[in-house]
Amino acid sequence: MPTMIPRTRLDENADKIREDLQFVMDCFREVLTELGEGEIADRLPWSDDGAPTGKTTRPSRTAQSYSIAFQLLSMVEENAAVQMRRKLEAEGKLAKVSGLWQQNLERLKERGLSGEEIADVLTDVRVEPVLTAHPTEAKRATVLEHHRRMYLLLVDRENRVWTPSERKELRASMKAELERLWRTGEIYLEKPDLASERRNAIHYLRNVFPDVLPELDRRLNVAWEEMDFDPALLHRPDGRPSLRFGNWVGGDRDGHPLVTSDVTRETLGELRTNALQLLVEKLTELTRRLSLSEFLQAPPEPLSETVAVIAEDLGERGRRAVERNPDEPWRQFVNLMIARLPIEDGARVEHPAAYETPDALVDDLMFLREQLLAVDADRIARRDLDPVLRTVQTFGFHLAALDIRQNSQFHDEAVAQLMSAAGLQGERFLEWDEEQRLDFLNRELSSPRPLTHPDMELGEQAQAVLDAYREVSQYIKEYGPEGIGALIISMTRSLSDLLVVYLLARETGLTMQTEDGIVCRLPVVPLFETIDDLHNAPGILDDFLSHPMTQRSLAYLQEEHGTSQPVQQVMIGYSDSNKDGGIVSSLWNLYRGQDALADVGREHGVRVRFFHGRGGTISRGAGPTHRFINALPHSSLQGDLRLTEQGETIAQKYANRLNAAYHLELLIAGTTGATCRQRYSRKKGHPLESTLDRMAEKSRAAYQQLIHTDGFVPFFRKATPIDAIEASRIGSRPARRTGKQTIADLRAIPWVFSWSQARFYLSGWYGTGTALEWLQEEHPDAFNDVKQQNFIWSPLHYIISNVATSLATANPEIMRQYAGLVQDDDLRERVMSQIEAEYDRTRRMMERIYSGPLAEKRPNVQQYLDLRQEGLQTLHRQQIDLLKHWRHGSGSGNDEVLLKLLLTVNAIANGLGTTG
């Protein structure tokens, strides 16, 4: 979806897009023509002559060309947005861009907050994006690198002092990149393995995010100075928001049998190796900069003494470190830090004087900082050393914290197998009610004695869980817990689902005995996913926080992490709640659920840290970042934001440095702004909360009625390309958890992906019209309140605006074309009549909320969609034809049809800017 551009600059932004788009598309047409692909070149969109009509004789190459064209459009739009923000910054108008530091600080200042009050909050802000590899990433790593180089060439064109020959060279370079891309192909011919997905995640963690940190600090500095706040308040290295990263690739095994204990061990090792290599690079760069000579400034005595002591402790390594730069003690100290890292020649090594933890390296950097300040080298300390310090604080020796996630049912089966191995009739565990389970688990958890020993032969599930936990336990024993995130339980339905994990942890050394009793060394995190789960969540959390082992474990973790109070992480899922009840019911129940869970935490003296499982589409929790953060319930944030970044959204947001800085700034600045507002105001209810409760019920009922219509599943399987998506090579994870052909078993990602490909976007709007129409007819005053509060009350605006975007992206004409694939006339009309009636009802009601046509009231979104419409129409027609052919075909020739079909899936995903 489009980047937020101030309305007053939309025309200017559109002109910039048109100019750059013409350049890249002219280059692409020339490349295709020169390669003898004149027919393909003539069919490209955005031509002054218009694309030829009629069927192409080469559908796969046409689809590939459109896919590339849409990628070029996305690059052009991204660059235009970056250049617009730079222009606004130069004009002193950056506060007009929603969600950035400038706007947040300006609004806080208007509320009467001082720089000192805001600075106090900055130190408590922690933002942690967690990278995942769900089957949404449809691009190969090689292709992403081609895209990055083309984007940089677009940026180079912004230089207005190029000579004509230099501009000609830029054009030639762009054409060369386009030819490489055309000859490479965009989609996986084989399913990517986990190693490929891991490399992709590590690419961003190692090569992109570290280089973004200085830009993030610069943007905060600029906005701070614009507000006339005291710059000295930001000079402390620990006086800025904390940015950390998490990772699921290699740790998330829910429905993913390929994520074995070996994969987890390899992932932890690669993350650590890359973190240490990164630190070597940053410290080596620091040595190049800290060329201060002792002949021009007398080195402080503590520096000279410390260099001598560490060099002696390191022996030969220390001697080489100080001999390298004689008479430059500041640089010598950095050499010694490099020598103390547990890595040599790019490989991890352990030696007696090596740093055991990144905290020790931070201490040394802080010491070096003091030695620079002692000779009045403040500027050098801030500009050269502080970025390295920030890198260590952000990435440590682990790069990103790896979560371990598994389904509660899998855990149940593992415990049953453990019991059977111990001679306890484990099959009974699966039959017991909650009371019987709790009785057994509480008895077991009163003792540190494990049920089994490592040499026992166990069932498949038990062996898989224990092997994974043992790898984690061994990692903690060797390196400490920093590289491990949490043990996350999908589909948490009861207290026993959580206590089971304590039992499994006890078997593998992840618990320890204290004076007060047994504790778990890692956070155990419930994941509440469906709407019913969200309703039950407060009661489950209350029981969990009341449990003695939880209380002991949270106290242990509080002491380990040095927090002011116990912290319990709770993950909430946006995807399954939406698949379960539609968008209004999902978003509102998530709001209510967070509010209730935060209250439960307060009653126990525990801060609840919410982990938001957001996907790449509105139907899976995506939406403008600043609106998402502002819509969170009061006191649910408390300076701490953890959220998933999934699949193709990683490349869309973070592939290029300035765009990555923009998106991370939205997260950090937004979290700071919301935390300040919450900290300096009292929680109070909103008069429309009860209205939203009833709208959520009405919306969910309408949505449920549709998906439970007789024959709906066969309709879904024919009217969308779900079967092609299930056969695709987009991700390593299976599309279904267990292989059953039901909606319940289908993952939310392919569910959303298939509806979006057919332009229904069903779960992004369905049911909203029914709820609003009911409200207007039965409670007209409340309807008017909703209309008036839409742009005032953030939780309401987040729901309404996301529905409006989904509705705009849906296309009734294209829906009808896909519905034509359903051969049963009665079934087709029965389901489509419901969908079309609700679509018309929702559009009519939304236009009343917005007081006019959505296209006029939301020009940013409409501009984005209008640019894509021509090319998408062609691709949808082609995909429908290929679906017919593929579904009626068989044999090896059908594999070739499937490949052509997958190319259209990829091209449409690129055009819409989203998969699942």
Side-chain angles (χ1 to χ4, degrees):
M1 280 292 106
T3 301
M4 292 296 164
I5 301 293
R7 282 194 176 208
T8 55
R9 311 300 283 265
L10 276 176
D11 289 342
E12 182 182 347
N13 190 63
D15 290 342
K16 169 67 174 167
I17 291 171
R18 278 191 290 271
E19 176 191 337
D20 286 355
L21 186 60
Q22 182 176 349
F23 165 73
V24 294
M25 291 305 295
D26 284 350
C27 289
F28 192 25
R29 287 189 184 90
E30 288 172 17
V31 166
L32 291 175
T33 302
E34 290 161 5
L35 293 175
E37 301 282 9
E39 181 197 346
I40 303 294
D42 290 343
R43 287 184 174 275
L44 287 174
W46 311 305
S47 165
D48 292 337
D49 301 327
T53 57
K55 291 185 179 181
T56 174
T57 57
R58 304 178 65 203
S60 60
R61 294 302 259 173
T62 301
Q64 184 189 354
S65 69
Y66 273 59
S67 184
I68 292 172
F70 282 130
Q71 285 293 341
L72 293 173
L73 173 58
S74 295
M75 286 179 213
V76 163
E77 288 172 328
E78 181 182 322
N79 181 55
V82 167
Q83 302 308 324
M84 177 58 70
R85 289 193 293 272
R86 296 183 69 188
K87 184 175 288 190
L88 289 168
E89 181 179 343
E91 296 171 1
K93 298 176 181 177
L94 199 56
K96 292 182 178 295
V97 181
S98 298
L100 299 182
W101 275 120
Q102 195 117 337
Q103 186 183 81
N104 274 283
L105 293 179
E106 187 175 274
R107 290 180 176 177
L108 292 174
K109 188 175 182 180
E110 289 170 356
R111 292 169 75 102
L113 271 68
S114 66
E116 287 76 11
E117 288 172 315
I118 299 170
D120 283 343
V121 173
L122 286 178
T123 59
D124 294 334
V125 171
R126 175 190 169 107
V127 171
E128 185 180 357
V130 179
L131 307 189
T132 76
H134 281 271
T136 58
E137 179 52 81
K139 290 182 281 295
R140 298 166 53 194
T142 300
V143 169
L144 292 172
E145 183 59 26
H146 290 320
H147 291 170
R148 190 186 70 84
R149 286 196 295 267
M150 286 191 291
Y151 178 82
L152 292 176
L153 287 170
L154 269 181
V155 174
D156 284 346
R157 286 188 78 243
E158 300 300 326
N159 188 336
R160 297 302 175 188
V161 298
W162 293 123
T163 65
S165 64
E166 288 170 332
R167 298 191 76 79
K168 187 176 180 180
E169 180 60 26
L170 276 175
R171 187 183 185 91
S173 297
M174 178 65 78
K175 289 175 67 174
E177 289 296 343
L178 283 163
E179 181 173 346
R180 288 189 196 101
L181 192 58
W182 180 248
R183 292 178 182 274
T184 299
E186 284 236 340
I187 70 169
Y188 286 102
L189 299 180
E190 298 294 338
K191 264 189 169 310
D193 58 14
L194 280 156
S196 301
E197 293 179 334
R198 184 169 58 215
R199 280 195 299 273
N200 193 43
I202 288 175
H203 164 76
Y204 291 97
L205 293 165
R206 174 83 157 73
N207 302 317
V208 178
F209 296 133
D211 291 341
V212 170
L213 294 178
E215 176 66 11
L216 288 173
D217 285 345
R218 185 192 74 81
R219 298 186 69 80
L220 173 56
N221 291 339
V222 169
W224 197 261
E225 290 174 13
E226 283 288 325
M227 295 302 107
D228 290 324
F229 292 149
D230 182 1
L233 292 169
L234 298 181
H235 285 175
R236 288 193 356 259
D238 59 349
R240 293 171 181 270
S242 166
L243 178 65
R244 301 289 186 270
F245 292 93
N247 174 44
W248 274 19
V249 183
D252 179 17
R253 54 225 329 119
D254 176 16
H256 201 331
L258 300 179
V259 182
T260 63
S261 59
D262 289 341
V263 167
T264 296
R265 181 179 65 256
E266 292 162 4
T267 300
L268 289 168
E270 286 199 32
L271 288 168
R272 183 171 174 85
T273 297
N274 277 275
L276 292 169
Q277 290 172 345
L278 170 66
L279 295 181
V280 170
E281 285 177 14
K282 296 300 180 184
L283 288 169
T284 301
E285 177 63 24
L286 184 60
T287 63
R288 297 190 186 105
R289 294 173 180 271
L290 291 189
S291 55
L292 287 73
S293 169
E294 64 181 21
F295 299 119
L296 298 178
Q297 52 261 303
E301 191 172 327
L303 176 62
S304 302
E305 291 175 353
T306 304
V307 166
V309 169
I310 296 176
E312 184 175 348
D313 289 345
L314 284 172
E316 178 61 23
R317 297 168 72 93
R319 185 186 63 78
R320 291 199 306 267
V322 295
E323 283 182 353
R324 198 170 302 131
N325 302 105
D327 310 321
E328 296 174 347
W330 290 270
R331 186 179 261 173
Q332 287 176 328
F333 191 79
V334 181
N335 288 336
L336 290 169
M337 284 192 282
I338 295 171
R340 290 190 65 193
L341 287 172
I343 187 170
E344 191 167 10
D345 297 328
R348 285 177 287 137
V349 295
E350 302 298 331
H351 52 88
Y355 291 115
E356 292 185 6
T357 68
D359 289 343
L361 176 57
V362 168
D363 289 343
D364 277 357
L365 284 165
M366 290 296 290
F367 171 79
L368 180 60
R369 192 176 195 274
E370 291 169 7
Q371 308 316 305
L372 288 168
L373 298 182
V375 295
D376 298 324
D378 301 44
R379 182 184 293 107
I380 292 174
R382 288 199 299 273
R383 296 190 67 86
D384 295 343
L385 187 143
D386 284 359
V388 180
L389 188 57
R390 293 279 280 166
T391 301
V392 181
Q393 291 168 335
T394 300
F395 299 100
F397 290 175
H398 63 281
L399 206 63
L402 184 70
D403 285 340
I404 306 296
R405 182 176 77 134
Q406 185 53 277
N407 194 285
S408 59
Q409 179 63 37
F410 197 96
H411 286 155
D412 285 350
E413 292 170 3
V415 169
Q417 291 165 7
L418 285 177
M419 291 172 64
S420 295
L424 296 176
Q425 294 181 302
E427 68 278 358
R428 292 165 55 196
F429 183 79
L430 301 174
E431 300 166 359
W432 283 343
D433 61 22
E434 181 69 359
E435 185 177 350
Q436 291 171 304
R437 288 184 177 212
L438 290 176
D439 182 58
F440 167 76
L441 290 167
N442 285 326
R443 284 200 315 273
E444 279 297 318
L445 292 173
S446 65
S447 165
R449 172 191 52 78
L451 279 169
T452 61
H453 58 76
D455 297 330
M456 276 188 174
E457 190 171 330
L458 304 174
E460 181 182 352
Q461 284 80 3
Q463 196 67 57
V465 174
L466 297 195
D467 284 350
Y469 281 19
R470 285 189 181 116
E471 291 296 343
V472 171
S473 179
Q474 182 62 31
Y475 181 91
I476 292 173
K477 189 180 298 183
E478 291 182 20
Y479 305 122
E482 259 200 316
I484 310 297
L487 305 175
I488 300 175
I489 304 95
S490 304
M491 293 297 175
T492 300
R493 301 279 167 76
S494 64
L495 173 61
S496 65
D497 288 341
L498 300 170
L499 299 187
V500 154
V501 177
Y502 284 153
L503 183 67
L504 295 166
R506 188 193 64 180
E507 298 293 306
T508 53
L510 287 176
T511 60
M512 62 183 290
Q513 188 70 30
T514 68
E515 291 180 2
D516 298 321
I518 190 172
V519 300
C520 186
R521 302 180 66 188
L522 290 175
V524 172
V525 177
L527 167 49
F528 300 113
E529 299 181 77
T530 68
I531 290 172
D532 287 342
D533 292 346
L534 289 167
H535 288 165
N536 297 328
I540 295 171
L541 183 64
D542 186 38
D543 290 341
F544 188 54
L545 295 181
S546 300
H547 196 275
M549 184 157 175
T550 302
Q551 293 175 346
R552 292 193 301 268
S553 298
L554 292 184
Y556 166 80
L557 291 169
Q558 177 187 359
E559 186 173 347
E560 280 281 296
H561 299 148
T563 55
S564 59
Q565 65 181 130
V567 176
Q568 172 63 50
Q569 188 178 153
V570 174
M571 186 171 183
I572 51 175
Y574 288 70
S575 304
D576 282 283
S577 60
N578 183 279
K579 181 164 79 87
D580 182 35
I583 189 166
V584 175
S585 182
S586 171
L587 291 179
W588 183 244
N589 278 289
L590 284 161
Y591 179 90
R592 283 295 212 190
Q594 289 175 77
D595 198 33
L597 289 164
D599 285 344
V600 170
R602 267 192 300 277
E603 291 167 7
H604 287 270
V606 171
R607 176 168 68 80
V608 176
R609 183 189 193 203
F610 287 103
F611 179 13
H612 301 270
R614 302 173 77 216
T617 63
I618 284 172
S619 289
R620 296 185 50 243
T625 299
H626 65 289
R627 290 181 187 163
F628 162 71
I629 293 172
N630 290 336
L632 295 174
H634 191 283
S635 304
S636 69
L637 195 57
Q638 300 184 68
D640 198 343
L641 180 67
R642 193 171 202 244
L643 75 171
T644 54
E645 293 286 17
Q646 296 189 348
E648 85 286 348
T649 60
I650 298 172
Q652 288 171 1
K653 292 180 178 179
Y654 303 120
N656 301 301
R657 187 177 67 91
L658 289 180
N659 205 45
Y662 166 70
H663 285 285
L664 289 173
E665 182 181 350
L666 286 173
L667 289 173
I668 299 169
T671 300
T672 303
T675 301
C676 284
R677 291 192 296 274
Q678 292 175 8
R679 182 173 296 186
Y680 295 110
S681 66
R682 295 181 61 183
K683 178 183 176 181
K684 54 185 178 181
H686 194 281
L688 281 176
E689 287 179 354
S690 60
T691 299
L692 264 294
D693 288 336
R694 288 176 292 180
M695 284 179 60
E697 291 171 5
K698 294 291 181 182
S699 174
R700 185 186 185 189
Y703 179 85
Q704 288 277 330
Q705 182 181 13
L706 173 70
I707 65 173
H708 290 122
T709 295
D710 186 39
F712 181 78
V713 173
F715 174 89
F716 162 63
R717 295 198 64 80
K718 291 295 184 184
T720 74
I722 178 60
D723 44 354
I725 290 167
E726 288 174 333
S728 74
R729 301 161 174 85
I730 291 173
S732 67
R733 177 189 298 274
R736 295 179 179 274
R737 285 188 165 92
T738 66
K740 297 175 184 175
Q741 295 295 310
T742 63
I743 291 176
D745 191 62
L746 184 69
R747 290 184 179 279
I749 296 166
W751 166 263
V752 172
F753 193 1
S754 53
W755 285 119
S756 65
Q757 283 275 309
R759 298 296 289 279
F760 284 82
Y761 280 85
L762 204 65
S763 53
W765 57 267
Y766 198 96
T768 310
T770 294
L772 287 171
E773 186 177 68
W774 165 82
L775 188 65
Q776 185 182 44
E777 291 175 355
E778 299 294 328
H779 305 279
D781 290 343
F783 181 85
N784 288 331
D785 289 341
V786 167
K787 183 175 179 178
Q788 291 167 7
Q789 288 287 313
N790 180 31
F791 289 100
I792 299 172
W793 188 34
S794 295
L796 173 65
H797 184 53
Y798 187 61
I799 295 171
I800 295 294
S801 62
N802 278 349
V803 170
T805 299
S806 295
L807 198 67
T809 314
N811 187 307
E813 180 186 343
I814 294 173
M815 287 186 216
R816 260 286 162 192
Q817 292 170 18
Y818 278 89
L821 293 167
V822 181
Q823 294 175 318
D824 184 328
D825 294 346
D826 176 65
L827 174 61
R828 180 177 63 248
E829 293 310 313
R830 191 154 35 86
V831 176
M832 276 305 292
S833 62
Q834 292 183 65
I835 292 174
E836 288 173 330
E838 183 64 15
Y839 177 88
D840 292 340
R841 186 181 300 113
T842 303
R843 176 169 286 280
R844 184 172 68 251
M845 300 312 299
M846 292 297 287
E847 288 180 346
R848 290 177 187 173
I849 293 290
Y850 278 92
S851 299
L854 296 180
E856 294 177 10
K857 297 297 180 178
R858 309 183 80 236
N860 213 336
V861 172
Q862 198 59 41
Q863 182 185 97
Y864 178 89
L865 293 171
D866 286 346
L867 262 175
R868 288 157 169 76
Q869 187 56 26
E870 175 194 339
L872 285 169
Q873 286 276 15
T874 300
L875 289 169
H876 287 303
R877 286 194 298 269
Q878 193 178 115
Q879 185 177 88
I880 290 167
D881 287 341
L882 287 166
L883 277 168
K884 290 176 184 175
H885 189 177
W886 179 60
R887 287 171 178 172
H888 289 96
S890 61
S892 58
N894 219 31
D895 292 339
E896 188 176 335
V897 178
L898 175 60
L899 183 58
K900 295 175 183 177
L901 184 53
L902 294 178
L903 283 165
T904 67
V905 169
N906 189 62
I908 291 170
N910 284 339
L912 294 170
T914 180
T915 52

